[in-house]
């Protein structure tokens, strides 16, 4: 456009001739005539150049694409795969990948293998619909790169979304994600839209009919929402949550997040969901947070209490002090032959007996594994102290980082002082204190005892109870014009005597 303007100006106010303008601006006379005739340049004709290098491979590409029309949709050739086959099956054809890509795109469009659909924008009433989906993401948990399954629920009216990570996309995790999401939104949506995931759909019937799982039907009835399922292989029918997963992954999973465990990671994801409430979606009047406040008044009231999501079984304690739940063995502090109730949740396995939870383990998703807690075997080990050093519960505690070096140091000191058997029994009595005071406090007390050079179990217990031994100061007593504090005579407690005796020895 600038060149045409310059030509027209030079012709009218400058050289004044076609030849003079062409010589001065160094352009062809045809362009000068074209510029004089119109201020807008005409569109260039697209010249079809001969495909010299591509010609030997055209028939091969056409044959591959024709075969793809009868192949499954997800097992068709990409342009890159076609180029790889040309390089291996037609070694005499030297052709770059970009040339193949351009031709494949043209042929796929001509054969109908590429469909450009037109989608109709939708509008939603407050609280009418939310969409649910799973997606995969990676995180560094305790320094280890871990693959996670992320549950996402997005409100279609306000645009607010909730994300929660699980180790596996089990049915318990699926239902638990719903309940946590309902608490986040402050109510229940009237309709939820899903893929045909196996946690909810047992079998796809004709049309929109589905045979749903019994547990999902009970859950839906408990929370009083309706469910709709997308057409198979038509993910665009829930495009809101599909786009939300991509946005959230790009903005909050990059760089790869670091967390202590899944619970810590979910705390970070919750803060990210809260942070997204400050943004405004294009074309929307309110920010996401402001729209969510409006939408809360239109949601269904949540149920008074959550639904029991556990998978329940009634195993019997075996001779190894374990119960078998879903192919894995979990330790319990009960005698062999005792029947218990096992409740399996998305992340935890609880063992109940006589209405009391006697053990809780992190759920193991492997097969034929043993999940053992050393505290469940302390009474047995006290009678058989020689079994502690090579026991599997101790090995698992070491791998989990729950047996610090200070524990081994005081254990060795106790064996040097009392002998192997009695020293191990003293160590077991020290470890038992973790159930009463907590492992962190016990570790601090052991480290303090080692620093003072006192390794008696009574000294460790004294350090744990030291906070309970502090007495409040006595009230001042007025005598005449003076006031003085009555200082009681210090009395040596039982723990002080034990501590003194241990240090003297």
């Amino acid at each position: 456009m600038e060149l045409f303007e310059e030509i027209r100006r030079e012709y009218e106010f400058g050289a004044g001739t076609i030849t003079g303008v062409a010589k001065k601006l160094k352009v062809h006379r045809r362009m000068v005539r074209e510029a004089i005739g119109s201020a807008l340049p005409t569109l260039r004709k697209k010249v079809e150049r001969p495909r010299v290098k591509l010609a030997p491979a055209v028939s091969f590409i056409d044959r591959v694409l024709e075969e793809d029309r009868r192949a499954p949709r997800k097992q068709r050739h990409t342009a890159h795969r076609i180029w790889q086959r040309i390089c291996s099956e037609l070694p005499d054809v030297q052709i770059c990948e970009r040339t193949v890509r351009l031709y494949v795109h043209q042929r796929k469009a001509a054969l109908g293998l590429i469909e450009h659909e037109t989608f109709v924008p939708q509008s939603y009433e407050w609280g009418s619909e939310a969409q649910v989906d799973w997606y995969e993401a990676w995180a560094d948990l305790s320094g280890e790169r871990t693959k996670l399954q992320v549950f996402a629920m997005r409100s279609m009216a306000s645009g607010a979304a909730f994300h929660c990570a699980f180790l596996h996309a089990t049915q318990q995790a699926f239902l638990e994600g719903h309940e946590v999401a309902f608490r986040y939104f402050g109510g229940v949506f009237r309709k939820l839209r899903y893929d045909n995931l196996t946690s909810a759909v047992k079998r796809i019937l004709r049309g929109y009919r589905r045979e749903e799982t019994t547990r999902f039907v009970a859950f839906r009835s408990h929370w009083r929402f309706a469910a709709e399922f997308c057409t198979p292989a038509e993910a665009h029918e829930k495009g809101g949550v599909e786009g939300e997963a991509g946005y959230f992954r790009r903005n909050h999973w990059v760089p790869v997040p670091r967390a202590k465990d899944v619970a810590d990671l979910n705390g970070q994801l919750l803060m990210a969901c809260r942070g997204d409430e400050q943004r405004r979606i294009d074309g929307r009047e309110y920010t996401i947070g402001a729209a969510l406040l409006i939408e809360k008044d239109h949601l269904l009231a949540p149920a008074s209490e959550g639904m029991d999501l556990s998978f329940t079984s009634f195993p019997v304690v075996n001779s190894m002090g374990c119960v078998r739940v879903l192919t894995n063995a979990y330790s319990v502090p009960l005698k062999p032959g005792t029947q218990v109730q096992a409740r399996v949740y998305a992340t935890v396995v609880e063992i109940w007996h006589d209405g009391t939870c006697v053990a809780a383990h992190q759920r193991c998703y492997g097969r034929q594994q043993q999940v053992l807690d050393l505290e469940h075997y302390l009474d047995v080990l006290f009678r058989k102290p020689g079994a502690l050093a090579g026991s599997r519960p101790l090995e698992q505690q070491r791998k989990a980082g729950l047996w610090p070096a200070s524990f081994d140091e005081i254990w060795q000191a106790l064996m040097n002082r009392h002998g192997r058997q009695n020293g191990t029994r003293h160590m077991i009595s020290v470890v038992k204190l973790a159930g009463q005071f907590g492992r962190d406090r016990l570790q601090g007390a052991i480290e303090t005892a080692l620093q003072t050079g006192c390794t008696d179990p009574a000294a460790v217990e004294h350090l744990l109870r030291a906070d309970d031994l502090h007495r409040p100061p006595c009230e001042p007593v007025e005598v005449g014009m003076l006031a003085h504090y009555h200082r009681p005579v210090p009395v040596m407690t039982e723990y002080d005597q034990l501590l003194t005796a241990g240090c003297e020895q």
Side-chain angles (χ1 to χ4, degrees):
M1 294 295 296
E2 289 81 2
L3 179 58
F4 267 42
E5 181 185 14
E6 187 176 1
I7 292 173
R8 291 169 62 85
R9 188 176 297 277
E10 184 64 31
Y11 180 78
E12 184 174 357
F13 302 107
T17 64
I18 294 177
T19 303
V21 174
K23 287 183 179 180
K24 184 174 182 178
L25 299 180
K26 297 181 180 180
V27 296
H28 200 277
R29 293 188 301 275
R30 285 193 301 270
M31 182 174 290
V32 177
R33 293 190 185 96
E34 184 181 350
I36 293 172
S38 174
L40 299 176
T42 58
L43 297 177
R44 292 185 178 182
K45 295 181 180 180
K46 188 175 181 180
V47 180
E48 188 70 25
R49 297 181 180 178
R51 299 185 176 92
V52 179
K53 292 188 176 181
L54 181 64
V58 166
S59 59
F60 176 81
I61 297 175
D62 291 344
R63 177 170 54 84
V64 170
L65 295 178
E66 188 64 32
E67 293 174 353
D68 275 355
R69 300 180 70 175
R70 298 183 295 274
R73 185 178 62 85
K74 292 188 176 181
Q75 291 180 248
R76 294 174 181 171
H77 286 76
T78 62
H80 178 71
R81 178 57 182 150
I82 293 176
W83 176 72
Q84 288 181 326
R85 289 191 58 184
I86 291 175
C87 294
S88 61
E89 299 179 27
L90 303 175
D92 296 335
V93 178
Q94 301 296 325
I95 188 173
C96 67
E97 184 177 354
R98 176 173 173 78
T99 303
V100 175
R101 284 183 179 275
L102 293 174
Y103 181 75
V104 168
H105 181 78
Q106 294 174 4
R107 291 299 300 159
K108 281 188 175 183
L111 294 173
L113 296 176
I114 299 179
E115 297 181 359
H116 298 283
E117 295 187 49
T118 301
F119 301 99
V120 180
Q122 301 289 301
S123 61
Y124 300 89
E125 297 180 358
W126 296 115
S128 62
E129 180 178 325
Q131 297 178 357
V132 178
D133 198 11
W134 287 100
Y135 67 91
E136 296 179 351
W138 294 81
D140 292 333
L141 302 181
S142 299
E144 183 179 355
R145 184 63 55 87
T146 307
K147 184 179 180 180
L148 299 167
Q149 303 294 326
V150 187
F151 173 91
M153 180 184 291
R154 182 182 188 269
S155 166
M156 298 308 297
S158 65
F162 175 77
H163 298 254
C164 184
F166 296 90
L167 290 175
H168 292 268
T170 61
Q171 189 181 56
Q172 286 90 355
F174 175 67
L175 300 180
E176 183 179 325
H178 280 75
E179 292 197 344
V180 181
F182 293 154
R183 289 198 294 269
Y184 172 81
F185 289 109
V188 182
F189 295 90
R190 289 174 173 78
K191 181 173 65 177
L192 296 180
R193 188 179 295 274
Y194 304 90
D195 274 333
N196 297 283
L197 64 174
T198 56
S199 297
V201 176
K202 186 184 301 183
R203 187 172 57 172
I204 300 175
L205 304 176
R206 186 184 299 274
Y208 291 99
R209 297 171 56 225
R210 302 289 187 272
E211 182 181 348
E212 302 171 36
T213 60
T214 304
R215 194 166 188 80
F216 178 73
V217 173
F219 181 83
R220 185 182 63 193
S221 175
H222 180 82
W223 289 96
R224 299 175 298 124
F225 64 87
E228 284 193 4
F229 299 94
C230 299
T231 305
E234 299 290 345
H236 61 82
E237 293 184 3
K238 55 177 185 59
V241 71
E242 294 282 352
E244 169 64 28
Y247 172 86
F248 199 88
R249 185 190 290 112
R250 292 189 298 270
N251 288 272
H252 301 296
W253 289 92
V254 179
V256 176
R258 299 178 180 180
K260 179 180 178 182
D261 51 23
V262 177
D264 183 23
L265 176 64
N266 283 329
Q268 299 179 26
L269 297 182
L270 178 60
M271 295 300 296
C273 294
R274 295 296 186 191
D276 279 349
E277 293 180 6
Q278 306 303 318
R279 69 185 180 96
R280 186 192 304 272
I281 300 176
D282 293 342
R284 302 288 182 94
E285 181 179 358
Y286 305 102
T287 62
I288 291 177
L292 181 58
L293 290 176
I294 299 174
E295 189 171 40
K296 284 183 178 179
D297 296 333
H298 298 79
L299 296 174
L300 298 175
S304 57
E305 60 181 10
M307 181 178 171
D308 186 8
L309 306 178
S310 64
F311 168 80
T312 305
S313 61
F314 297 89
V316 177
V317 182
N318 60 20
S319 60
M320 303 297 291
C322 296
V323 293
R324 186 162 296 277
V325 181
L326 297 177
T327 76
N328 294 317
Y330 298 89
S331 64
V332 291
L334 299 173
K335 294 182 179 180
T338 305
Q339 187 176 36
V340 298
Q341 181 187 30
R343 300 179 183 177
V344 182
Y345 296 92
T347 57
V348 177
V349 175
E350 296 181 351
I351 311 299
W352 291 71
H353 180 63
D354 290 340
T356 304
C357 182
V358 296
H361 296 274
Q362 184 176 359
R363 181 175 176 179
C364 176
Y365 284 94
R367 293 182 62 84
Q368 309 300 329
Q369 302 296 313
Q370 289 184 330
V371 182
L372 310 175
D373 189 340
L374 181 61
E375 293 184 5
H376 297 164
Y377 294 91
L378 293 179
D379 292 337
V380 177
L381 290 172
F382 194 84
R383 300 193 304 270
K384 304 175 181 179
L388 176 60
S391 63
R392 185 169 295 179
L394 178 59
E395 178 188 3
Q396 291 188 3
Q397 286 223 333
R398 292 184 187 277
K399 291 181 179 180
L402 300 178
W403 189 273
S406 58
F407 282 35
D408 285 322
E409 188 175 349
I410 194 172
W411 186 9
Q412 186 62 45
L414 290 170
M415 288 192 296
N416 293 339
R417 180 177 173 185
H418 300 286
R420 183 181 181 87
Q421 297 288 328
N422 290 331
T424 301
R425 286 193 175 96
H426 282 299
M427 183 61 195
I428 293 172
S429 65
V430 170
V431 176
K432 282 185 176 182
L433 297 174
Q436 181 179 359
F437 298 98
R439 187 169 296 275
D440 293 336
R441 287 185 60 185
L442 177 61
Q443 181 179 351
I446 290 176
E447 292 174 354
T448 302
L450 291 172
Q451 291 174 1
T452 59
C454 186
T455 58
D456 193 88
V460 176
E461 186 174 358
H462 172 79
L463 293 172
L464 290 170
R465 298 181 182 273
D467 295 338
D468 301 332
L469 299 178
H470 292 309
R471 298 182 177 85
C474 297
E475 295 293 332
V477 179
E478 293 187 4
V479 179
M481 298 297 294
L482 300 176
H484 67 278
Y485 288 95
H486 172 67
R487 300 183 180 275
V489 178
V491 179
M492 183 173 291
T493 64
E494 178 183 358
Y495 298 108
D496 295 328
Q497 296 173 0
L498 293 173
L499 177 60
T500 305
C503 293
E504 288 177 354
Q505 292 179 8

